[in-house]
């Protein structure tokens, strides 16, 4: 009998091309309010999107603007203002508080092989300043990442604040000639005269995955009128500054400082690094600590009335992502209060806690009392409004269609958000935030719709582990999975199943648009996304239950989920495959070793294979110990018993039982799970005669997110599944 699974490579490629063109909504800004001569009010909503360009093998960025006409906190009319246009070379951009100026950090290559950074200031319809930061040589490259990076206007709109790599003295050989060649370049002569001998090859720590080369950040200020750049002094030497903004009255700068002593650990996806909120007083040249210095804090946001700063807080070390506290610091009383504390379990009210990688850049309501944020709540991403005085939490999306929401910005109570589901790409929505106590009356208006894909059906499945798989310290914790299925029926044969546990392990699948699952489902596969115990969004107890039980609790959760859906859905138990990345790859390799009779094929991206061998090469050695159940300290010494336990919890322990063919995809520049992990597994499988193929992507890190790697990876994955599931 014939299956309905799409098999021909050219058809699969065409389907991937079609769905990869669905753009991702990246950011939004609300422009100044304009009042017409007839009393009507309107504003513009500026949005930025990204999209894969397979021909250029790059991710392009484009913008589109919309008009929103409103009256008395109600939207009267909204619609696009013109077509979209591509954005070239912008690394960061920020409008001034009044909306009359815009700052842009841009990269450009004016000559062959040279790349320069420019800081531009735009006013109305022209560029009024363009500062070549590279030529000034006051600092190294400006940080454009979302970990340290910022571009902040002073309230007076006269200065710009940003973060850049601190300039290092030029280093040269001990044997460099002291005789300077005749040159008209006095600056070059001066640099040579200040060069440090014998330090060309000194190792400089950086902040790891996606932050390679970022070592010593510095706070920098541009005087917009004069064009002068200065590097702020006074930052404590033991911390690296970032996420900075101007204090009330422009008297100084507020920033987050991350401890980098005794050495730096990877920061990407790690909200557990010791850090604190600091203030540099520019009038008195002193630095002041504003928060507890034993915690991990991030994402500070100043209220519109410039009286309070809201930020997120976690415990230092432990799981890399956890349930967070929402804290508020009062600028004038100097008092810090915890608005929302860690939630151990979901109680009678539906709120399960805050699990944010960041607050929206603008998150305060106009009343400076309420904060809007998005966070996972079980397997959904919801928009919440938090009243900072009482700590009350109200969902803005509980009555909305099932799916996931993200807050992009809120300005003068006009809230801009995106919404998507596993069967519908991102749509752009706006609404006015109702007054306090009336938040549930929010009325959403769609600015940019996306067509749902009728061929995909999906549902969230709640799961309770059987009694024998309960964690005795954390009994009663449940979990969930999201099952995607082709909605046009199963055809002559039952559906093949692709099982995808997420990475982390402390992350989560939300009911949102994801390219790989969508294309697989359109091909004719059922796709099972498993949020095993330890996932975000289910309470802190769920997170805490997993460290010390990786390779056991999470593996059994996934297997139990697979067995349940095979019993209850029209799925083919003889055609089940695993796909996973990072810790998801760790679980996939565990499952094909522990349950070899269940799975017929496996595809893994940068998988953790041997925790014991990974600890000495990863940018997150603390992860290896923490997830294996041991405490971490920077001065931890090798311990044979702990290494044995880490190996015991690793997929390598079960490699002799593997029967399924394995496709490995590795990023050559991966600092998180270095490629030697996958190579170790490749050799072990080859030695045992198991069919195995390895793809090594140069220039790619842990995410394998380049357009070329993502597209090639999907095609190889799809063809591997088709071949070995005999579709």
């Amino acid at each position: 009998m014939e299956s309905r699974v799409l098999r021909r490579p050219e058809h699969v490629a065409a389907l991937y091309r079609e769905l990869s063109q669905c753009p991702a909504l990246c950011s939004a800004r609300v422009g100044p309010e304009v009042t017409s001569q007839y009393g009507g009010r309107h504003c513009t909503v500026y949005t930025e999107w990204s999209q894969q360009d397979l021909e250029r093998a790059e991710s392009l960025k484009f913008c589109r603007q919309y008009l929103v006409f409103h009256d008395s906190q109600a939207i009267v009319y909204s619609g696009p203002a013109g077509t979209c246009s591509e954005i070239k070379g912008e690394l960061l951009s920020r409008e001034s508080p009044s909306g009359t100026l815009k700052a842009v950090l841009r990269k450009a290559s004016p000559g062959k092989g040279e790349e320069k950074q420019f800081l531009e200031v735009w006013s109305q319809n022209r560029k009024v300043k363009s500062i070549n930061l590279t030529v000034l040589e006051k600092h190294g490259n400006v940080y454009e990442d979302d970990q340290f990076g910022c571009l902040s206007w002073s309230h007076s709109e006269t200065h710009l604040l940003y973060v850049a790599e601190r300039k290092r003295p030029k280093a040269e050989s001990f044997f460099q000639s002291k005789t300077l060649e005749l040159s008209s370049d006095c600056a070059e002569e001066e640099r040579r005269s200040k060069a440090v001998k014998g330090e060309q090859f000194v190792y400089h720590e950086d902040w790891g995955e996606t932050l390679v080369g970022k070592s010593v950040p510095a706070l920098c200020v541009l005087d917009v009128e004069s064009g002068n750049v200065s590097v702020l002094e006074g930052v404590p030497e033991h911390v690296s500054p970032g996420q900075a903004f101007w204090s009330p009255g422009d008297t100084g700068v507020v920033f987050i400082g991350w401890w980098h002593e005794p050495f730096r650990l990877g920061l990407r996806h790690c909200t557990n690094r010791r850090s604190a909120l600091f203030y540099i007083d520019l009038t008195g040249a002193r630095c002041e600590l504003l928060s507890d210095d034993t915690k991990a804090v991030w994402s500070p946001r100043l209220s519109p009335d410039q009286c309070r700063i809201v930020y997120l807080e976690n415990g230092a070390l432990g799981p890399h992502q956890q349930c967070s506290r929402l804290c508020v610091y009062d600028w004038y009383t100097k008092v810090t209060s915890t608005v929302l504390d860690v939630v151990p379990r979901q109680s009678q009210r539906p709120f399960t806690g805050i699990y944010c990688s960041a607050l929206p850049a603008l998150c305060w309501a106009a009343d400076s009392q309420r904060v809007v944020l998005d966070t996972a709540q079980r397997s959904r991403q919801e928009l919440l409004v938090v009243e900072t005085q009482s700590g009350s939490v109200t969902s803005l999306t509980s009555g909305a269609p099932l799916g996931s929401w993200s807050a992009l910005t809120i300005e003068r109570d006009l809230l801009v958000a995106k919404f998507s589901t596993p069967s519908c790409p991102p749509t752009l929505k706006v609404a006015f935030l109702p007054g306090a106590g009336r938040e549930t009356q929010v009325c959403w208006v769609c600015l940019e719709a996306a067509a749902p894909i009728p061929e995909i059906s999906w549902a969230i499945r709640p799961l309770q582990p059987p009694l024998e798989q309960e964690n005795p310290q954390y009994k009663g914790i449940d979990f969930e999975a999201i099952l995607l299925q082709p909605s046009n029926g199963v055809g002559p044969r039952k559906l093949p199943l692709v099982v995808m546990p997420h990475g982390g392990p402390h992350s989560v699948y939300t009911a949102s648009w994801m390219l790989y699952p969508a294309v697989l489902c359109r091909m004719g596969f059922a796709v099972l996304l498993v949020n095993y115990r330890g996932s975000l969004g289910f309470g802190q107890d769920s997170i805490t239950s997993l460290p010390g039980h990786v390779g056991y609790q999470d593996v059994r959760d996934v297997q139990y989920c697979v067995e349940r859906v095979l019993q209850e859905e029209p799925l083919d138990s003889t055609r089940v495959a695993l796909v996973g990345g990072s810790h998801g790859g760790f679980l996939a390799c565990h499952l094909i070793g522990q349950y070899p009779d269940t799975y017929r094929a496996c595809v893994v991206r940068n998988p953790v294979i041997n925790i014991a061998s990974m600890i000495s090469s990863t940018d997150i050695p603390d992860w290896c110990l923490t997830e294996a159940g041991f405490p971490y300290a920077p001065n931890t010494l090798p311990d044979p018993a702990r290494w044995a336990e880490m190996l015991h919890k690793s997929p390598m322990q079960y490699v002799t039982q593997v029967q399924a063919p394995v496709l490995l995809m590795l990023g050559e520049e991966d600092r998180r799970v270095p490629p030697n992990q996958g190579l170790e597994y490749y050799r072990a499988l080859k030695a045992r005669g198991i069919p195995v193929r390895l793809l090594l992507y140069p220039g790619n890190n842990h995410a394998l997110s380049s357009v070329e790697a993502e597209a090639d990876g999907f095609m190889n994955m799809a063809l591997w599944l088709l071949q070995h599931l005999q579709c």
Side-chain angles (χ1 to χ4, degrees), residues 109-427:
S109 302
K112 290 184 177 180
E114 61 174 340
E115 190 172 277
K116 298 183 184 297
Q117 289 186 329
F118 295 83
L119 192 51
E120 304 168 348
V121 177
W122 294 76
S123 174
Q124 305 298 328
N125 66 338
R126 64 193 181 101
K127 186 194 297 185
V128 294
K129 289 280 182 181
S130 183
I131 312 296
N132 188 333
L133 297 177
T134 306
V135 168
L136 285 181
E137 292 195 325
K138 294 293 185 77
H139 49 68
N141 280 340
V142 178
Y143 287 27
E144 80 290 351
D145 59 88
D146 56 7
Q147 182 68 50
F148 292 98
C150 67
L151 187 56
S152 176
W153 283 94
S154 62
H155 304 291
S156 63
E157 303 190 353
T158 58
H159 292 78
L160 279 164
L161 172 68
Y162 59 94
V163 177
E165 182 71 10
R166 186 173 290 277
K167 185 174 174 59
R168 289 197 190 98
K170 181 180 173 63
E172 64 181 22
S173 166
F174 285 112
F175 304 100
Q176 185 79 33
S177 171
K178 292 183 179 180
T179 305
L180 290 173
E181 297 178 6
L182 291 176
S183 171
S184 59
D185 189 344
C186 297
E188 176 63 22
E189 290 192 18
E190 185 179 354
R191 281 198 303 274
R192 291 280 299 276
S193 65
K194 294 181 179 178
V196 180
K197 295 287 188 183
E199 294 203 0
Q200 314 100 295
F201 308 111
V202 171
Y203 172 65
H204 297 284
E205 294 174 15
D206 60 29
W207 284 101
E209 178 70 15
T210 75
L211 298 170
V212 173
K214 295 176 179 178
S215 178
V216 186
L219 299 176
C220 306
V221 174
L222 169 72
D223 184 315
V224 174
E225 180 62 31
S226 68
N228 291 330
V229 171
S230 56
V231 177
L232 296 186
E233 300 299 331
V235 175
E237 291 187 359
H238 61 276
V239 302
S240 291
Q243 298 184 14
F245 58 89
W246 294 92
S247 68
D250 292 339
T251 57
V253 170
V254 178
F255 66 93
I256 298 292
W258 285 268
W259 267 248
H260 54 229
E261 300 295 341
F263 51 81
R264 292 162 179 77
L265 291 170
L267 268 181
R268 182 68 172 167
H269 301 306
C270 302
T271 57
N272 66 334
R273 300 299 184 220
R274 185 184 176 190
S275 46
L277 193 64
F278 291 88
Y279 166 62
I280 290 184
D281 183 348
L282 299 181
T283 59
R286 59 185 176 84
C287 189
E288 181 182 347
L289 184 68
L290 303 183
S291 70
D292 187 334
D293 65 355
T294 65
K295 306 290 187 183
V297 306
W298 74 102
S299 217
R301 306 288 187 255
L302 182 64
S303 61
D305 63 7
Q306 300 186 33
C307 290
R308 298 192 296 165
I309 299 170
V310 66
Y311 61 90
L312 295 166
E313 178 185 276
N314 274 355
L317 294 177
H320 281 172
Q321 297 195 70
Q322 309 170 30
C323 185
S324 305
R325 297 177 189 85
L326 185 71
C327 301
V328 168
Y329 174 80
D330 190 294
W331 187 258
Y332 295 101
T333 66
K334 311 298 183 187
V335 173
T336 300
S337 55
T338 299
V339 177
L340 293 175
D341 211 334
V342 171
V343 176
R345 301 275 182 110
Q346 183 177 356
S347 58
Q348 291 183 346
R349 66 173 182 167
F351 179 60
T352 64
I354 295 179
Y355 309 87
C356 281
S357 58
L359 295 172
L362 295 175
C363 64
W364 284 93
D367 57 17
S368 293
Q369 299 296 315
R370 295 174 295 165
V371 169
V372 175
L373 55 89
D374 58 67
T375 181
Q377 298 289 280
R378 299 178 68 84
S379 299
R380 294 178 62 188
Q381 185 96 351
E382 291 197 34
L383 293 184
L384 305 177
V385 58
V386 182
E387 211 293 322
T388 57
Q389 297 289 346
S390 65
S392 67
V393 180
T394 305
S395 172
L396 295 173
T397 50
S398 58
L402 191 63
S404 288
W405 295 74
S406 295
L408 298 174
T409 190
I410 182 170
E411 180 80 10
R412 302 183 302 277
D413 283 345
L414 182 61
L415 177 58
V416 186
K418 68 177 176 180
F419 170 76
S420 72
T421 75
S423 62
C424 182
T427 61

Side-chain angles (χ1 to χ4, degrees), residues 444-623:
W444 293 99
V445 174
C446 185
L447 282 187
E448 188 76 57
I453 300 174
E455 296 89 349
I456 298 176
S457 64
W458 61 277
I460 298 174
R461 302 177 63 98
L463 294 146
Q464 188 75 44
L467 287 175
E468 65 271 17
Q469 293 179 21
E470 287 270 31
N471 186 316
Q473 290 180 278
Y474 299 96
K475 292 182 178 179
I477 297 174
D478 67 344
F479 63 102
E480 289 181 343
I482 304 171
L483 179 63
L484 285 69
Q485 298 185 72
S487 55
N488 52 0
V490 299
R493 297 177 65 183
K494 290 183 176 181
L495 294 170
L497 176 65
V498 177
V499 182
M500 301 179 72
H502 63 69
H506 308 295
S507 63
V508 64
Y509 283 125
T510 57
S512 57
W513 175 255
M514 291 166 276
L515 179 59
Y516 273 29
V519 184
L520 285 171
C521 194
R522 281 287 308 275
M523 286 177 62
F525 292 98
V527 182
L528 184 64
L529 311 171
V530 187
N531 288 324
Y532 45 86
R533 283 173 291 171
S535 302
L536 303 179
F538 294 81
Q540 181 66 18
D541 282 356
S542 178
I543 294 169
T544 311
S545 73
L546 186 54
H549 300 95
V550 293
Y552 178 82
Q553 177 178 296
D554 45 5
V555 171
R556 278 154 182 74
D557 281 355
V558 176
Q559 183 66 16
Y560 174 70
C561 182
V562 170
E563 292 172 358
R564 281 283 302 274
V565 298
L566 288 175
Q567 291 170 5
E568 299 169 4
E569 300 289 340
L571 304 174
D572 189 344
S573 61
T574 67
R575 295 189 296 165
V576 182
L578 283 156
V579 172
S582 195
H583 191 85
F586 170 91
L587 293 177
C589 294
H590 258 298
L591 286 156
I592 59 174
Q594 293 192 43
Y595 301 95
D597 295 333
T598 303
Y599 304 98
R600 295 293 174 266
C602 180
V603 181
V604 286
R605 297 154 58 95
N606 292 319
V608 175
I609 295 300
N610 184 342
I611 304 175
S613 64
M614 177 173 142
I615 193 170
S616 60
S617 57
T618 177
D619 68 332
I620 50 167
D622 62 306
W623 181 93

